[in-house]
Amino acid sequence: MAVFYLVAFLSIFFSLLVIFSKNPVHSVIYLIITFFTFTIHYVLLNAQFLAIVNFIVYMGAIMVLFLYVLMLLDLNVNSEPVKSSLMKIAGIVAGMCLLVTLAGALKGSGFLPAGAHEEVVQRPNLGLVKNLGQVLFHDFLLPFEVSSLLLLSAMVGAVLLAKREPREI
Amino acid sequence: MQDIVKTIQGVPLNHYILLSAIIFSIGVTGVLIRRNAIVIFMSVELMLNAVNLLLTAFSAFSNDPAGQVFVFFIMALAAAEVAVGLAIIVMIYRNTNTIDINVMNRLKW
């Protein structure tokens, strides 16, 4: 139980560092650490498959993509555009207002009857690959195939966008 | 694994909702206060991950594997989104030599 609060504190701390650090490369590093804490959360929630996919896809693929683009654009110099402090304060106030609204809505809704948290993780093998695969390929077969189409179109679009246009047109 | 199951059992679902709300708000704040397009993108990733964590928590608390399948789909979608978005950022940087989003206000009149 204490592990959850420790890891939750770490996630909040590192996600704050992501948005407040000046250097974008440091932001990416902190984001990787944040995603690692999310992986620990998935393990604690007994979702082993998602933990591994989060580890591979987010910490591996997406973060490498971010770092690669960041180094390709040569932004690790202090060319960081600064926003006026008034806008920053307004943004922070707006974000905190959203947080207060969400927390107030949660508190006021009376969501969750008392004692609902005692039946956590009744089926310990809920998040295993075998279980998830059966659900994925029985109930969600069409969305799965459509998502492959989405990935293909995203790949074509990314290549087309990032390609340098020929000059003669 | 039984230890892990025991470990989680004391944490109420409300705390997961609160944690996800906090991280989502941090992502929104990041979008609002930064002008670097890549950092804004990373804040969007943070928001997506907060939602993922909440879906997984709901799935584990209600014993329904469908929530975790949704998280899987969201991860696939996030990968596609990152690829296209970073390609757009690279193209913008090539055309304007900056990724300050205040330069990209051509659609505003």
Side-chain angles (χ1 to χ4, degrees):
Chain A
M1 186 168 175
V3 180
F4 168 75
Y5 294 107
L6 176 67
V7 178
F9 169 74
L10 283 181
S11 340
I12 295 170
F13 179 69
F14 283 113
S15 52
L16 278 176
L17 280 182
V18 168
I19 66 168
F20 284 120
S21 69
K22 291 286 176 212
N23 195 334
V25 176
H26 292 175
S27 281
V28 175
I29 303 292
Y30 289 135
L31 193 61
I32 293 174
I33 301 174
T34 310
F35 285 166
F36 184 67
T37 59
F38 273 87
T39 305
I40 300 174
H41 277 304
Y42 289 142
V43 171
L44 286 181
L45 274 172
N46 221 354
Q48 291 92 349
F49 174 67
L50 282 184
I52 292 177
V53 168
N54 192 60
F55 197 85
I56 295 174
V57 172
Y58 270 107
M59 290 177 58
I62 294 184
M63 286 305 106
V64 165
L65 208 58
F66 267 110
L67 268 183
Y68 185 69
V69 168
L70 215 50
M71 290 173 182
L72 197 71
L73 300 190
D74 192 20
L75 288 171
N76 41 6
V77 288
N78 281 332
S79 63
E80 172 76 10
V82 283
K83 220 167 192 171
S84 67
S85 58
L86 180 67
M87 291 300 288
K88 267 187 183 169
I89 291 172
I92 291 173
V93 167
M96 289 308 108
C97 281
L98 175 68
L99 176 59
V100 168
T101 310
L102 285 176
L106 171 66
K107 194 170 165 53
S109 68
F111 184 69
L112 280 194
H117 58 270
E118 269 137 28
E119 41 195 294
V120 192
V121 199
Q122 279 172 340
R123 288 159 53 190
N125 50 358
L126 180 76
L128 292 184
V129 182
K130 188 178 169 190
N131 247 323
L132 278 187
Q134 275 171 355
V135 174
L136 186 62
F137 289 107
H138 275 133
D139 303 341
F140 295 94
L141 187 57
L142 182 66
F144 183 74
E145 299 294 338
V146 172
S147 75
S148 74
L149 209 65
L150 171 79
L151 283 177
L152 176 69
S153 60
M155 189 180 72
V156 173
V159 170
L160 202 68
L161 277 174
K163 203 163 67 96
R164 200 177 288 272
E165 305 178 2
R167 286 292 171 207
E168 61 268 16
I169 300 177
Chain B
M1 198 162 94
Q2 286 307 313
D3 285 348
I4 290 178
V5 172
K6 276 205 177 60
T7 303
I8 181 72
Q9 247 156 8
V11 182
L13 180 53
N14 276 357
H15 292 185
Y16 275 104
I17 301 177
L18 209 56
L19 171 68
S20 295
I22 289 172
I23 292 183
F24 191 88
S25 309
I26 290 173
V28 170
T29 311
V31 169
L32 288 177
I33 69 172
R34 297 301 293 262
R35 276 171 57 184
N36 189 334
I38 290 187
V39 180
I40 288 177
F41 227 66
M42 287 193 269
S43 304
V44 173
E45 289 297 314
L46 216 52
M47 285 193 267
L48 275 172
N49 264 283
V51 175
N52 277 352
L53 179 64
L54 191 54
L55 272 176
T56 315
F58 277 136
S59 156
F61 274 70
S62 61
N63 283 321
D64 189 1
Q68 303 194 8
V69 176
F70 283 161
V71 174
F72 178 69
F73 283 131
I74 292 178
M75 281 180 183
L77 196 112
E81 173 240 343
V82 163
V84 175
L86 285 179
I88 291 175
I89 288 178
V90 167
M91 198 184 61
I92 287 172
Y93 182 75
R94 193 180 290 149
N95 284 338
T96 64
N97 260 329
T98 177
I99 54 167
D100 187 351
I101 53 159
N102 256 25
V103 181
M104 310 167 201
N105 54 5
R106 303 276 160 75
L107 283 180
K108 203 167 70 176
W109 59 282

